[in-house]
Each structure stands twice: as C-alpha cells, then as structure tokens.
Amino acid sequence: MQVMSHGQFADPAVEARFQETARTLRLPFVRIYGVLFMLVALAYTIVNPLLVNPVDTAKLAVLFGAMIALAGAYIASTFWSGYIARPGLDFAALLGIVFLLGHINLILFDELIDMQEEMHAVGVMNRLGVSAFAAVVLAGRPRLFLLWLGLDLFVFLATVLPVQSHDAGMWYALLSYSSGAVIMLAINVAIDRSSCGAFALAEALEAERRKNEELVYNMLPPAAVERIRDGRMVADAYADASVIFIDMVGFTKLAKRVSPGHLVEVLNAFFNHADACAAKHGVEKVKTIGDAYLAIAGGNVTSGNSADSAIAFARDVLAGVAELQAVAGTDVGLRVGIHSGPVVGGVIGATRMAYDYWGETVNMAARLEGTAPVNGIAISESTWLRAKDRAAFGPPHNEMLKGMGETCVYHAGPAPERQTLPEISWVA
C-alpha cells in the first residue's frame, strides 16, 4: 500500500497520479451535471415570464443567460487537454455560478413576498446543489474546497446582508448555510478518503501485477507468453541456430572444499557474468544445469549470424575467468562447446514452465564442450563454416563423441587434454 501523510500520498509522483486518475474518472459526471444545470436554468427562464413581472423577468433573463453561458463554457473547458491538471477551473466556474444564483434568489424571493406567497416549502434555486457538486468535483483537494466554501459564504453574506432587515431571518439563514456546509465538507472528505483507499489498492495490485509479469517475461519469451495466455501451444522450429554449452572445470572438487554459501557465490558470479555477456551479444539464455550454462543464438532473440554471435559471446564469457578465480579463491576454468544447426523450441508442462530447446544440435554442443581445452572453445564444422572470424581456431581434427561417432572439431585456446568423456545424464 502507498504511504499517506496529512491526507495525501507521501510520494508526490503518486499523489499527482492519484489526482489525475480521480479527475479523469469524474469527468463524465462533471459534464452531465453541467448539462443538467443548464437545463434547470433554461426551465426557470421559460417559467419566469408566467409568474414574474416584466421588469424582474428581464433581470432574471440576463442572470440566467449569464449562468447558462458560464455553465456552457465550463463544460467546454472539460474537453481541453489541460483541464485535468487545473482544478482552479472548477473552483472559478462554480464560484461564478453560485454568485449568479445568489442574485437570482434575491429577485425570486422578493417576487414571492410581493405576491404574499407562503414560504413554508419554497427554496427557489437551492445553492446546496452547487455546493454538493463542488464537494464532489474538488474531492482530493480539501484546502481548495474549504477556500471555496469560505468565498461562497462571503458571496452569500454580501448578497443577503444589504437586503435582510430581520435578525431572526439572518440567524436562520446562517444556521441553514452552516449545516449545509458541514454536510458538504463531510461528503468531500468521504469521497477523498474512499478514492485514496481505492487508488492505493489499485496501485498495490498494479505493482504486484508488474512484478509477476516481469518474472514471467524473465522466464519465457514475450511471444510465448502471449500464446500461453491465448491457450495456444508453444512450439517453434529454428532452421539455423547456434547452441552454446559452457561448463565449469573442477566444480566437483571445489564443492567438496568450500562451504555451501561460498559455492553459491561462485556459481552466482559465473551465471551473472554469462547473463551480462548474453545481453551484450544478443544471445538467449536457455537455462542452467548444475554448474553448466546453456544458451542459444538465433532462437527467440534475433541474431544476424548465429555462429559469430555465439563465438563472440563465448570469448566474452572466457574473458571473465580471472575474476571468477578471484571469487572462488582457487583455480577454476570453463569449457565451451558450440554447434550450429536446426533446433526445436517450446514450452511443455503446466507447472514451473520454461521455454526450452531440443534436438541433435543441443546434444552435439554438450558433447563438444567435453572436448574443449580448459578456458577454450570447441566448435563443430557446421559452426566453423558459418563463422566469418576463423583465425583463432586451429586446424580441424576428429573426435570420437559419445552417441555421435567421429566428428570434425575445431579448437580455440590452450591445447586440449585427451580425457574420457563423462556421462551427461541430461542429454537425450
């Protein structure tokens, strides 16, 4: 929930957003009220010649004409783009209307007295209708509404005092005005508090929605999220992608020597560095598997030449090995395997969903990583053929890869050490 202070939100930006939202939502009612007020004034103008003497009818026609014109200008101002940010327009328009209303009431009351009409049920034009509207339209700005009430009282007294001859009538008028003003102030405060509470709740829900959406988009590509929302299956085929598999050398020994907290710190340093490099080179992080990092160029993230992007990404990650060793406090290294070809991507399952990639290209990249020199890169022939920058890679040689047979491999980095390839249980 947003914190409030002295009836306002503590954050000025939130307070400004609240005022703008509240006034925008009240806008249709402002226009409807203005039109209704013009219709009421027009009805009085039509009835007056039937009940009022010609001289007063002429005076009333001028006052009602001014009131209709003012109300019309007020309604027109609500269509101006700057209206929302200027509550002073409501203040001035309603004050002008209530000023005209006071003079109209004086003339109508005098007419009724001259006609010796009983006054028990006569309210002529009730100014509380304008006060009620001011309480609504100026909700959220209590000081402005209090100022409006004060000026309304001043206009009322300035209009009535010169013609009021009985103290009793004046006292009753003041009591009537005061009681009405207190009720209008209560309405103003009630609308303000309820609006603030609803807005704060909406802000909290929106912030939570944004956080959840950010988490979803962090796990899934935007296009996949839209399809999942529509209830569609997420399955894609990419004809030319480059899969990058990076593994940490010596992780098993390191896990036996350091505390769990330190181990997580080392992994965090590795993965955060790889994430930054992926964002820099337009490479998509797929997932982490233990101490391994799987990424792809040419998948959901657009890449010009997937092989070049994958190699540039791998070199950037390897450039951070020294910092990784500093965090680990011992010698650790990385191996990178890259293979280019077709892959299938998509989302499966209903819980803990993630966008994953499958196919021979993914398996080949994992096998190639095992042949790479420590802090070096192993790429397949298909990647080498797609790459423009081949100078760093030595001559091709054949490697026997488990499940793949004899494969042409190119290395960059220190000379590879022959070793028995470990079982990789996660590869199909």
Side-chain angles (χ1 to χ4, degrees):
M1 281 283 189
Q2 294 288 344
V3 179
M4 297 188 67
S5 174
H6 305 293
Q8 293 184 328
F9 290 99
D11 186 347
V14 175
E15 175 65 22
R17 197 160 61 249
F18 162 66
Q19 293 292 348
E20 180 180 355
T21 302
R23 282 179 62 77
T24 301
L25 291 174
R26 287 196 293 264
L27 196 55
F29 302 100
V30 172
R31 292 168 181 164
I32 290 171
Y33 177 85
V35 171
L36 290 176
F37 196 85
M38 291 175 68
L39 292 175
V40 170
L42 185 61
Y44 271 82
T45 304
I46 294 171
V47 171
N48 284 335
L50 304 176
L51 304 174
V52 181
N53 69 66
V55 175
D56 285 342
T57 297
K59 293 179 182 178
L60 288 171
V62 172
L63 292 172
F64 274 116
M67 182 180 289
I68 292 172
L70 180 56
Y74 177 39
I75 295 170
S77 72
T78 64
F79 291 93
W80 176 42
S81 59
Y83 166 79
I84 297 298
R86 291 169 175 81
L89 290 173
D90 306 287
F91 183 92
L94 293 175
L95 192 62
I97 288 173
V98 85
F99 174 80
L100 293 170
L101 183 60
H103 285 78
I104 289 170
N105 276 339
L106 283 180
I107 296 173
L108 291 176
F109 268 118
D110 285 341
E111 281 291 327
L112 290 171
I113 291 170
D114 289 342
M115 288 186 281
Q116 296 183 346
E117 287 284 345
E118 293 187 2
M119 306 292 288
H120 302 301
V122 178
V124 195
M125 289 192 76
N126 197 335
R127 65 192 302 129
L128 280 179
V130 183
S131 299
F133 182 62
V136 173
V137 80
L138 295 177
R141 299 182 183 271
R143 294 178 183 175
L144 196 61
F145 181 63
L146 283 173
L147 177 60
W148 188 91
L149 283 178
L151 290 176
D152 181 33
L153 177 60
F154 175 79
V155 170
F156 173 70
L157 293 176
T159 306
V160 173
L161 280 177
V163 296
Q164 181 66 41
S165 58
H166 297 288
D167 290 342
M170 192 66 212
W171 281 110
Y172 278 118
L174 284 174
L175 284 172
S176 175
Y177 179 88
S178 300
S179 60
V182 169
I183 292 172
M184 295 309 136
L185 184 60
I187 291 174
N188 180 267
V189 172
I191 293 174
D192 181 36
R193 295 303 88 202
S194 59
S195 298
C196 283
F199 181 79
L201 180 60
E203 284 278 290
L205 290 173
E206 177 61 20
E208 192 65 29
R209 186 195 67 79
R210 283 196 298 267
K211 281 177 18 183
N212 291 338
E213 194 168 77
E214 186 178 339
L215 287 172
V216 170
Y217 281 119
N218 192 41
M219 295 185 294
L220 299 171
V225 174
E226 296 305 318
R227 281 181 283 175
I228 291 172
R229 284 175 174 168
D230 295 340
R232 290 179 288 163
M233 179 182 294
V234 181
D236 305 298
Y238 303 93
D240 187 14
S242 295
V243 177
I244 311 105
F245 193 88
I246 309 175
D247 195 24
M248 187 181 294
V249 180
F251 179 77
T252 303
K253 293 181 179 179
L254 181 66
K256 294 177 180 179
R257 294 169 52 194
V258 302
S259 66
H262 190 189
L263 191 66
V264 170
E265 184 181 1
V266 173
L267 286 174
N268 201 40
F270 168 34
F271 295 150
N272 285 343
H273 172 60
D275 287 346
C277 294
K280 178 180 175 182
H281 295 282
V283 170
E284 178 187 354
K285 174 186 178 180
V286 180
K287 60 185 174 182
T288 59
I289 311 145
D291 63 323
Y293 189 96
L294 179 62
I296 185 170
N300 278 293
V301 179
T302 304
S303 177
N305 183 322
S306 67
D308 283 338
S309 297
I311 292 169
F313 161 70
R315 286 172 176 165
D316 213 358
V317 173
L318 291 175
V321 168
E323 294 181 11
L324 183 62
Q325 289 174 345
V327 174
T330 185
D331 286 338
V332 292
L334 301 174
R335 287 195 181 96
V336 183
I338 304 174
H339 179 56
S340 303
V343 296
V344 174
V347 179
I348 56 174
T351 60
R352 302 187 68 177
M353 291 185 293
Y355 195 98
D356 207 349
Y357 292 90
W358 307 276
E360 191 74 12
T361 303
V362 179
N363 295 343
M364 178 68 80
R367 300 301 187 202
L368 287 169
E369 174 273 318
T371 73
V374 177
N375 299 327
I377 306 172
I379 65 173
S380 65
E381 185 177 32
S382 65
T383 301
W384 187 85
L385 290 172
R386 287 170 171 81
K388 294 178 181 178
D389 183 11
R390 306 168 180 171
F393 293 92
H397 63 276
N398 291 329
E399 293 277 355
M400 183 60 68
L401 303 183
K402 182 184 177 185
M404 305 294 174
E406 196 170 50
T407 306
C408 182
V409 181
Y410 293 79
H411 288 121
E417 297 177 3
R418 300 293 173 178
Q419 57 182 343
T420 303
L421 297 180
E423 292 289 331
I424 305 177
S425 59
W426 67 274
V427 176

